[in-house]
């Protein structure tokens, strides 16, 4: 969510067109998404929190993973944790369904501008 180049450089379009699922390494930015103090991290964290509140999701990481899973290229997040409780929390992303407005609200927070 903090590195969105693949959304605009054709990488994910290529994957979608050819039917392979790209792996997303460090999908939570190595924790930076939740600890970073910079503008982008804070904006994305606030957008995720707003969506989580809207849909009643308790874990922001699960919402972040759900955001990745919503992309039609069938992204495969590589979760770096070895803690069973964190893995269980992030698996809840499979139960979260984001609509397009929610998905784009998070993307716009990451970009820091409207993406229309």
């Amino acid at each position: 969510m903090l590195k969105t180049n693949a959304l605009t450089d054709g990488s994910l379009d290529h994957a979608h067109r050819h039917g392979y699922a790209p792996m997303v390494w460090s999908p939570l930015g190595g924790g930076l998404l939740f600890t970073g103090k910079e503008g982008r991290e804070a904006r994305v964290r606030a957008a995720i929190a707003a969506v989580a509140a809207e849909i009643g999701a308790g874990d922001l990481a699960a919402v972040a993973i759900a955001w990745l899973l919503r992309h039609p290229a069938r992204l495969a997040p590589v979760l770096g944790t070895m803690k069973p409780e964190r893995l269980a929390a992030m698996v809840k992303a499979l139960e979260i369904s984001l609509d397009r407005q929610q998905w784009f609200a998070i993307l716009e927070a990451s970009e820091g501008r409207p993406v229309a």
Side-chain angles (χ1 to χ4, degrees), residues 14-66:
H14 185 269
H16 185 64
R17 186 173 326 125
H18 294 286
Y20 64 88
M23 295 190 320
V24 179
W25 292 86
S26 195
L28 303 177
L32 190 61
L33 183 59
F34 302 113
T35 61
K37 304 289 189 245
E38 297 300 316
R40 183 175 232 174
E41 293 90 357
R43 287 192 315 267
V44 173
R45 190 168 45 250
I48 293 169
V51 169
E54 186 178 322
I55 62 176
D59 191 293
L60 298 185
V63 175
I65 299 301

Side-chain angles (χ1 to χ4, degrees), residues 2-116:
L2 301 176
K3 306 275 185 190
T4 57
N5 297 354
L7 293 169
T8 57
D9 70 4
S11 300
L12 295 182
D13 295 330
H14 185 269
H16 185 64
R17 186 173 326 125
H18 294 286
Y20 64 88
M23 295 190 320
V24 179
W25 292 86
S26 195
L28 303 177
L32 190 61
L33 183 59
F34 302 113
T35 61
K37 304 289 189 245
E38 297 300 316
R40 183 175 232 174
E41 293 90 357
R43 287 192 315 267
V44 173
R45 190 168 45 250
I48 293 169
V51 169
E54 186 178 322
I55 62 176
D59 191 293
L60 298 185
V63 175
I65 299 301
W67 185 84
L68 292 169
L69 296 176
R70 175 74 165 84
H71 194 278
R74 298 181 356 252
L75 304 177
V78 178
L79 307 175
T81 186
M82 296 297 288
K83 298 178 180 176
E85 63 276 5
R86 289 302 304 140
L87 289 171
M90 286 191 267
V91 165
K92 293 183 190 262
L94 298 171
E95 302 168 5
I96 296 173
S97 178
L98 302 179
D99 65 28
R100 284 188 178 149
Q101 287 181 324
Q102 293 162 333
W103 194 89
F104 276 99
I106 294 170
L107 177 60
E108 287 181 347
S110 182
E111 294 293 314
R113 63 178 176 77
V115 294

